[in-house]
Amino acid sequence: MKMPSSSATELTKPELKHFLTTQDYTRQELTDILELMSMFKEARKANAVPQLFAGKSVAMIFEQPSTRTRVSFETAATILGGGALFLSPKDIHLGAKESLSDTGRVLSRMCDVIMARVDDHKTVAGLAEYSTVPVINGLCDWLHPTQIMADLFTMQEHLPAGKKLEDLTVAFVGDATNVCSSLMFACTKFGMHYKHIGPSKYQAPEMWQEIARENIKLSNGKLTVTDNIEEVEGCDIIIADSFYWFGQEAEKEERLSTFMPTYVVTEEMMAKAGENSIFMHCLPANDQRECTREVMEGPHSVIFDEAENRLTAQMALLVYLTHKSIKKPTEETLAYHKDRIESFLSRV
Ligand code: CP
């Protein structure tokens, strides 16, 4: 007897789309996700989030620690009626006893989305190659696209009077981190002026700038990469990030002495940007290193709105990526299976 697939979702999905980088999405598609985020945020405030992930699950692989990404995905799945599985490398066989291709295919047979935070982009890309459900990049060595959906949404919530996203000048101050790259790609795609301001040794590599310049051809945005901290003047948004990350501990002293004090975001720097400028940081922040506690707690800061919007983004992403492939059974189908199973159980 030929058995039907045991997968919770269809295995053949021409519409399957992963979320590895915002570069795989058009400006219109990203705008649609932002609009969906807005609707989910309002629905959550009203405690009326539609159960569009009911009975579904997201497998979450974490090769690195996380507070926001883990909690936001887990909470988003729960609020939408589904569930999330936390899988650390020490709990699963990935990369040790089992290949990426096998892990990707096995998780696809049981879960509806795979989210992975990985040391190396090749791992999340490899999972996507073999998975038959959407794979989301929850941060890798050079990208952090789900953070950037939260950041774009936060910018939209705090737009200066009379401005649209494409009118913004955004200054990312500090190291060329995965947040710096992802913001560079998204901001230039939306037609903004994106400035990476940092010491020359730690500036955005040419490959990233090339991607941004391609975006600018379509969007009329602008890119500036400079070590001149005076470039913060007049910027609408100032963004900070860590001066070193996991795997860079050995470079800590050199990095700190290169970045500090010039590239530390202070109240003086925010004042130079302008009275109405806003301060963003993906968190976790090392206060008194890349930014002062005064700035984090001050009138320019929107860092906790930004953190909350990680949840807003994950709700929208889980639904956006799965809504076409998740079957919606009719009442008749539900009744058929319920009766059949209950009838069988009454006999055993
Ligand atoms: N911003 C961010 O990704 O936070 P976590 O490392 O806590 O997930």
Side-chain angles (χ1 to χ4, degrees):
M1 185 171 92
K2 189 174 183 311
M3 295 294 289
S5 162
S6 60
S7 173
T9 53
E10 291 293 341
L11 287 180
T12 309
K13 295 191 220 66
E15 72 278 12
L16 176 63
K17 194 144 187 200
H18 304 294
F19 195 77
L20 302 186
T21 164
T22 54
Q23 281 301 105
D24 292 339
Y25 289 78
T26 63
R27 180 171 170 178
Q28 183 55 53
E29 286 170 330
L30 295 174
T31 303
D32 289 344
I33 296 172
L34 290 172
E35 200 170 331
L36 196 55
M37 286 172 68
S38 173
M39 288 185 251
F40 275 117
K41 189 159 186 174
E42 278 183 41
R44 179 172 171 251
K45 275 192 203 150
N47 196 21
V49 175
Q51 303 293 281
L52 295 173
F53 202 61
K56 307 300 169 197
S57 63
V58 50
M60 309 189 300
I61 298 170
F62 280 97
E63 290 185 341
Q64 292 179 12
S66 163
T67 300
R68 279 143 290 271
T69 307
R70 177 178 174 177
V71 174
S72 58
F73 268 107
E74 202 161 327
T75 306
T78 306
I79 292 176
L80 290 161
L85 297 85
F86 174 73
L87 307 169
S88 82
K90 67 180 190 315
D91 300 326
I92 58 171
H93 299 296
L94 181 69
K97 279 189 169 177
E98 192 163 50
S99 65
L100 274 178
S101 63
D102 288 356
T103 302
R105 283 178 291 180
V106 168
L107 291 178
S108 298
R109 291 294 186 106
M110 301 185 197
C111 301
D112 302 277
V113 176
I114 299 169
M115 191 285 300
R117 166 168 290 201
V118 295
D119 296 327
D120 188 332
H121 183 76
K122 287 194 194 91
T123 307
V124 71
L127 281 169
E129 192 176 335
Y130 292 100
S131 297
T132 53
V133 295
V135 173
I136 299 176
N137 181 356
L139 179 148
C140 67
D141 47 344
W142 75 293
L143 294 164
H144 198 359
T146 66
Q147 175 70 51
I148 271 45
M149 293 315 299
D151 288 0
L152 289 173
F153 189 80
T154 308
M155 290 175 192
Q156 216 168 38
E157 285 184 316
H158 294 277
L159 282 173
K163 286 197 177 181
K164 300 189 196 125
L165 278 181
E166 58 261 41
D167 303 322
L168 297 180
T169 299
V170 174
F172 183 97
V173 179
D175 188 20
T177 63
N178 42 23
V179 172
C180 175
S181 69
S182 298
L183 272 169
M184 179 182 284
F185 304 152
C187 290
T188 52
K189 185 164 279 212
F190 273 85
M192 301 180 212
H193 181 183
Y194 185 80
K195 298 183 181 182
H196 178 204
I197 306 174
S200 53
K201 185 175 175 186
Y202 297 105
Q203 283 172 0
E206 182 53 32
M207 186 188 89
W208 299 4
Q209 295 187 44
E210 189 49 43
I211 294 170
R213 283 194 287 268
E214 285 300 311
N215 286 345
I216 285 166
K217 282 182 194 166
L218 291 176
S219 70
N220 283 328
K222 194 173 168 192
L223 176 69
T224 302
V225 178
T226 176
D227 61 0
N228 181 8
I229 197 62
E230 300 301 315
E231 282 277 347
V232 296
E233 189 166 351
C235 289
D236 298 294
I237 300 175
I238 305 292
I239 303 180
D241 196 1
S242 303
F243 290 150
Y244 67 96
W245 190 243
F246 295 99
Q248 295 170 332
E249 291 84 355
E251 302 167 27
K252 177 180 165 186
E253 293 313 322
E254 189 197 337
R255 283 173 165 270
L256 292 184
S257 62
T258 309
F259 287 108
M260 297 172 74
T262 310
Y263 301 98
V264 180
V265 179
T266 59
E267 278 293 299
E268 294 71 39
M269 193 187 286
M270 293 308 303
K272 195 175 192 76
E275 197 185 342
N276 298 319
S277 61
I278 68 166
F279 173 70
M280 293 175 63
H281 191 308
C282 65
L283 304 179
N286 305 283
D287 53 340
Q288 312 309 352
R289 283 194 192 144
E290 66 265 18
C291 58
T292 61
R293 178 50 65 176
E294 200 186 7
V295 169
M296 291 171 69
E297 305 288 352
H300 300 278
S301 174
V302 296
I303 57 175
F304 295 108
D305 289 353
E306 186 182 0
E308 179 189 335
N309 284 333
R310 298 299 306 282
L311 172 59
T312 314
Q314 318 315 20
M315 285 191 286
L317 284 170
L318 287 178
V319 172
Y320 182 85
L321 293 170
T322 58
H323 76 107
K324 284 185 184 154
S325 61
I326 288 180
K327 281 181 181 166
K328 294 179 188 72
T330 60
E331 289 299 320
E332 196 182 10
T333 306
L334 284 170
Y336 165 77
H337 288 286
K338 184 171 181 286
D339 290 351
R340 192 172 172 226
I341 291 166
E342 284 181 354
S343 163
F344 172 78
L345 290 174
S346 70
R347 299 196 302 272
V348 294

